[in-house]
Amino acid sequence: MTAQPPKFTTLGCRLNAYETEAMKELSAQAGMGNAVIVNTCAVTAEAVRKARQEIRKLRRDNPDATLIVTGCAAQTEPHTFAAMAEVDMVIGNTEKMQPETWARMAKGPDFIGETEKVQVDDIMSVTETAGHLIDGFGTRSRAYVQVQNGCDHRCTFCIIPFGRGNSRSVPAGVVVDQIKRLVDKGYNEVVLTGVDLTSWGADLPGEPRLGDLVMRILRLVPDLPRLRISSIDSIEADENLMQAIATEPRLMPHLHLSLQAGDNMILKRMKRRHLRDDAIRFCEQARALRPDMTFGADIIAGFPTETEAMFENSLRLVTECDLTWLHVFPYSPRQGTPAAKMPPVHGKAIKERAARLRQIGDAQVQRHLAAQVGLTHKVLLENPVMGRTEQFTEVSFAAPQPEGQIISAQISGFAGQQLVARPLVT
């Protein structure tokens, strides 16, 4: 009887999802079978709680499988998971991307049982990030390419540097070669992803910047229709990135900003490197260079010491920056971070502030959708009846369209948070 391939469960960010795809290939190359691998997230205490809950469920559903835990939560608190009876092995974020790790685990549960249950090295000693060559994931239209990992900054609320290590970059030549390969396979959009994208290049010879990488990709891969950037720290946007925004139509007019708050005192207590005026100025500059630019942003509600007046500054930032897509995070203390020791905001107030942020975020989405009615957009089809505009807005179609292709469509209306469109014959 042929062994079943491993089952993977991914929690957390897009980078985790990317790395899960790489692990699938590594486990297949090693010939591993009858295993369950949980790729965890550590961004909040709630994320760790959900990981433990998921592990218990997976053990109940797969009583005979080898259960392996990896990811950021496994890296930051390995002994929490090693203490769980359901878990056979805990491997770190570095180990999970190494072929030899999978070759060892493929030897079976008896071999695993004879080794140390925890295989987690010091992430801060890692100095390189490999460009893992995967064929994209999620849809047949869009591929994600990891160009950076780790973070050199120490925001007071964030545990992620201790899960990912210090910032390290994939060399530009490796990135370009991978994107060429993906374009040859038919992908019409590539998304650059990482933990702290705008720090890309600081550890490479000559210290290139993210804008240099973007311009190089667009120059050397002329057949790539769309290049998209995931989350960036706007204070680190360099001159070439702004030039690309102004002059390169193949760079998509949507940026997700790591803002976190709109009050200067809270930003200082978070140990962020920008002030609210910096965020407003960046959005104004980017939109002046590219009038169709849309912004998403991460905002934390109820950070320790946040007063109602401070929160109001964050609330106003949504309209002052004209943000469209909000990721709202109700603050929850993360053990081991400086913020966890600061005077907390009452839980009821945190919940109420998060709801108000989501409410204004929903209103911003509706404004954006209404403004698109009657316009023509280039839509990349993620499936036969849904695609996304260049601004990353979802578009629905009544009749099936060619999946993976970019088509012209006229927007006839909107429903919920989706535009409704009809294809234009070209």
Side-chain angles (χ1 to χ4, degrees):
M1 184 175 175
T2 306
Q4 292 294 313
K7 299 176 182 177
F8 286 83
T9 293
T10 306
L11 306 170
C13 67
R14 181 63 67 175
L15 184 56
N16 251 15
Y18 178 94
E19 290 174 343
T20 291
E21 294 304 308
M23 284 192 285
K24 287 179 182 177
E25 293 198 4
L26 290 169
S27 65
Q29 290 165 8
M32 190 171 185
N34 196 28
V36 174
I37 296 93
V38 185
N39 198 6
T40 61
C41 172
V43 70
T44 63
E46 177 66 9
V48 177
R49 187 192 69 79
K50 286 183 177 178
R52 289 167 59 86
Q53 184 180 49
E54 182 69 15
I55 287 164
R56 293 189 185 102
K57 177 182 181 298
L58 288 168
R59 173 52 77 201
R60 289 194 300 270
D61 295 344
N62 303 273
D64 300 322
T66 300
L67 199 151
I68 298 159
V69 181
T70 187
C72 287
Q75 181 71 45
T76 56
E77 44 187 289
H79 297 292
T80 295
F81 296 97
M84 296 179 69
E86 295 86 353
V87 174
D88 294 304
M89 196 168 188
V90 181
I91 61 172
N93 266 336
T94 300
E95 289 76 14
K96 75 181 184 183
M97 308 309 291
Q98 295 172 337
E100 54 268 30
T101 300
W102 296 94
R104 286 196 300 268
M105 294 192 299
K107 293 179 180 179
D110 290 341
F111 176 81
I112 289 175
E114 295 169 2
T115 62
E116 289 287 333
K117 189 173 185 179
V118 176
Q119 303 282 322
V120 179
D121 285 342
D122 177 12
I123 195 76
M124 295 301 177
S125 66
V126 181
T127 58
E128 293 184 359
T129 284
H132 304 292
L133 298 179
I134 65 170
D135 289 343
F137 68 95
T139 71
R140 287 162 44 195
S141 56
R142 179 179 299 108
Y144 292 79
V145 173
Q146 180 187 358
V147 303
Q148 183 273 340
N149 204 342
C151 184
D152 290 337
H153 310 299
R154 297 297 181 263
C155 297
T156 58
F157 56 84
C158 187
I159 198 76
I160 295 306
F162 304 99
R164 290 285 179 180
N166 291 318
S167 180
R168 50 221 190 265
S169 311
V170 178
V174 175
V175 175
V176 168
D177 288 346
Q178 185 170 354
I179 292 174
K180 285 179 178 178
R181 195 171 63 91
L182 291 165
V183 171
D184 287 344
K185 287 180 175 291
Y187 286 94
N188 280 319
E189 181 174 300
V190 166
V191 185
L192 303 183
T193 187
V195 174
D196 181 28
L197 260 187
T198 33
S199 71
W200 180 89
D203 57 324
L204 296 176
E207 298 185 6
R209 303 292 298 277
L210 179 62
D212 301 320
L213 177 64
V214 167
M215 297 292 269
R216 184 168 178 175
I217 291 167
L218 292 170
R219 184 177 73 253
L220 296 180
V221 196
D223 294 335
L224 172 67
R226 291 186 173 193
L227 179 66
R228 197 178 290 280
I229 299 172
S230 59
S231 181
I232 69 164
D233 204 338
S234 58
I235 198 69
E236 289 190 327
D238 62 276
E239 188 176 333
N240 266 350
L241 182 59
M242 302 309 286
Q243 183 182 346
I245 289 170
T247 63
E248 293 286 356
R250 291 185 294 144
L251 178 63
M252 295 297 94
H254 169 261
L255 293 171
H256 190 85
L257 310 177
S258 179
L259 297 183
Q260 310 306 344
D263 179 81
N264 285 342
M265 181 56 72
I266 292 298
L267 287 166
K268 287 179 180 179
R269 288 172 180 164
M270 288 178 166
K271 211 174 176 182
R272 301 293 295 163
R273 284 155 296 132
H274 71 275
L275 299 175
R276 76 185 323 274
D277 284 350
D278 296 322
I280 294 168
R281 190 181 307 113
F282 173 81
C283 291
E284 289 173 346
Q285 289 174 346
R287 198 170 271 117
L289 296 172
R290 189 81 178 264
D292 58 344
M293 179 69 74
T294 60
F295 300 105
D298 297 331
I299 299 183
I300 296 173
F303 186 81
T305 77
E306 182 184 71
T307 64
E308 179 62 25
M310 292 170 173
F311 171 71
E312 290 283 349
N313 284 333
S314 289
L315 207 58
R316 285 202 310 276
L317 189 72
V318 176
T319 51
E320 288 172 350
C321 286
D322 196 13
L323 306 175
T324 301
W325 315 105
L326 294 190
H327 285 182
V328 176
F329 295 89
Y331 176 79
S332 66
R334 191 69 181 85
Q335 188 176 1
T337 62
K341 299 176 182 177
M342 297 179 186
V345 174
H346 192 277
K348 185 177 179 182
I350 293 175
K351 188 175 181 180
E352 185 264 342
R353 289 174 189 176
R356 286 163 65 191
L357 272 171
R358 292 189 181 107
Q359 185 177 27
I360 195 172
D362 289 343
Q364 287 288 101
V365 171
Q366 296 304 303
R367 279 186 63 243
H368 170 71
L369 296 177
Q372 309 310 306
V373 177
L375 300 182
T376 298
H377 278 285
K378 296 287 188 183
V379 179
L380 175 65
L381 274 299
E382 294 187 4
N383 62 55
V385 292
M386 193 281 284
R388 290 187 189 267
T389 68
E390 294 181 328
Q391 291 86 4
F392 211 58
T393 310
E394 286 192 8
V395 183
S396 66
F397 295 89
Q401 305 302 317
E403 184 176 352
Q405 299 303 303
I406 297 173
I407 65 169
S408 293
Q410 185 168 46
I411 308 303
S412 57
F414 59 96
Q417 294 201 341
Q418 280 189 332
L419 295 170
V420 177
R422 61 178 181 83
L424 296 175
V425 179
T426 57

